[in-house]
Amino acid sequence: MPRESIKAKTKRTAAIISELQSAYPDAKCELDYSSPLELLVATILSAQCTDKQVNIVTSYLFKKYRCAADYIEVDIEELQNDIKRIGLFRNKSKSIQKCCHALIEKHGGNVPADMKSLVALAGVGRKTANVVLGNAFNINEGVVVDTHVARLSNRLGLTLEKSPEKIEVNLQKLVPRNDWTMFSHWLIWHGRRRCSARKPDCSICEISMLCPSGKSGIYQ
């Protein structure tokens, strides 16, 4: 396949966005939350864990812990017990308590709505910050690059990079800023529902004609 120009790739990306938007009009973050704090905690818990599993735990967790102070007023062992169904629950419970301490000490118990403040919190990297900013505050500061976004971005030929940071930089050049948050949702939904890692359903894929991998048959 000849090297694709930036202009051509940008045009193809726009077509991919259009098709995915039509295919998944209800696409959204699949973590359950009703406040920025709940989304922040849920996203910390979601590292190396499925959204489904996180939602099971937070269905009762968020009834018990309603503000940042609630998380730090319990012994660490109690919080660990409350999230023990989640992988790495010991480390995550420590991160949540440290994070909530900082929220109270530096932000009046509220989740800050800027990248610099968010990534300074325990357990919060750029991906988590992008999730919170994009979904809780409707701020398109970056593109969330999880395993689905990374995999599909490579499969679609939008980037050759492997690290989330470099993939995000490439996607920001191709995707209009207003679509940064939703682009991640569309790719995640497509990855979960159509384009699986081992057995993508290329025969009925909505964007197969825009996918170099699909047309070449490499993944079929």
Side-chain angles (χ1 to χ4, degrees):
M1 181 179 177
R3 185 179 180 86
E4 187 176 26
S5 68
I6 293 297
K7 183 177 180 180
K9 186 178 293 186
T10 301
K11 183 177 180 180
R12 184 166 62 87
T13 302
I16 289 171
I17 289 172
S18 179
E19 293 298 327
L20 291 179
Q21 186 174 18
S22 296
Y24 309 107
D26 300 320
K28 62 179 181 179
C29 177
E30 294 190 276
L31 290 170
D32 294 335
Y33 68 97
S34 62
S35 70
L37 177 62
E38 288 186 357
L39 180 58
L40 177 58
V41 171
T43 308
I44 291 173
L45 292 175
S46 70
Q48 300 182 46
C49 184
T50 66
D51 289 355
K52 182 178 180 180
Q53 185 68 19
V54 172
N55 289 338
I56 292 173
V57 171
T58 58
S59 65
Y60 59 81
L61 190 74
F62 292 159
K63 293 177 182 177
K64 179 177 180 179
Y65 303 90
R66 298 184 178 276
C67 64
D70 290 341
Y71 287 98
I72 66 175
E73 289 175 353
V74 299
D75 291 335
I76 188 68
E77 291 80 10
E78 182 174 347
L79 180 55
Q80 288 176 353
N81 186 64
D82 288 334
I83 65 171
K84 64 183 179 181
R85 291 184 56 154
I86 299 287
L88 306 175
F89 68 92
R90 291 186 179 85
N91 287 335
K92 290 177 182 179
S93 62
K94 293 177 183 177
S95 292
I96 290 171
Q97 284 201 332
K98 289 180 181 178
C99 178
C100 288
H101 268 293
L103 291 180
I104 293 171
E105 293 174 359
K106 299 180 180 180
H107 305 286
N110 298 312
V111 176
D114 67 276
M115 178 64 72
K116 183 178 180 180
S117 297
L118 282 169
V119 297
L121 299 171
V124 180
R126 183 173 176 87
K127 185 182 81 170
T128 295
N130 277 333
V131 170
V132 173
L133 290 172
N135 295 281
F137 297 110
N138 295 314
I139 297 174
N140 285 296
E141 185 66 29
V143 179
V144 174
V145 179
D146 73 345
T147 55
H148 294 289
V149 174
R151 177 169 55 80
L152 267 67
S153 294
N154 275 267
R155 185 171 283 178
L156 287 165
L158 302 182
T159 180
L160 297 176
E161 300 292 349
K162 300 302 179 184
S163 74
E165 296 80 9
K166 292 181 178 180
I167 291 173
E168 182 182 5
V169 170
N170 285 359
L171 293 179
Q172 285 176 315
K173 296 176 182 177
L174 297 173
V175 178
R177 186 175 187 126
N178 287 342
D179 291 328
W180 283 357
T181 297
M182 288 307 304
F183 186 70
S184 294
H185 293 325
W186 291 323
L187 284 190
I188 291 169
W189 277 49
H190 193 65
R192 288 173 174 169
R193 292 158 175 80
R194 186 77 74 227
C195 192
S196 62
R198 295 185 178 181
K199 197 174 181 181
D201 199 345
C202 298
S203 63
I204 58 173
C205 176
E206 293 83 354
I207 56 174
S208 62
M209 294 305 295
L210 298 166
C211 177
S213 300
K215 287 190 292 183
S216 67
I218 293 174
Y219 297 96
Q220 295 182 25

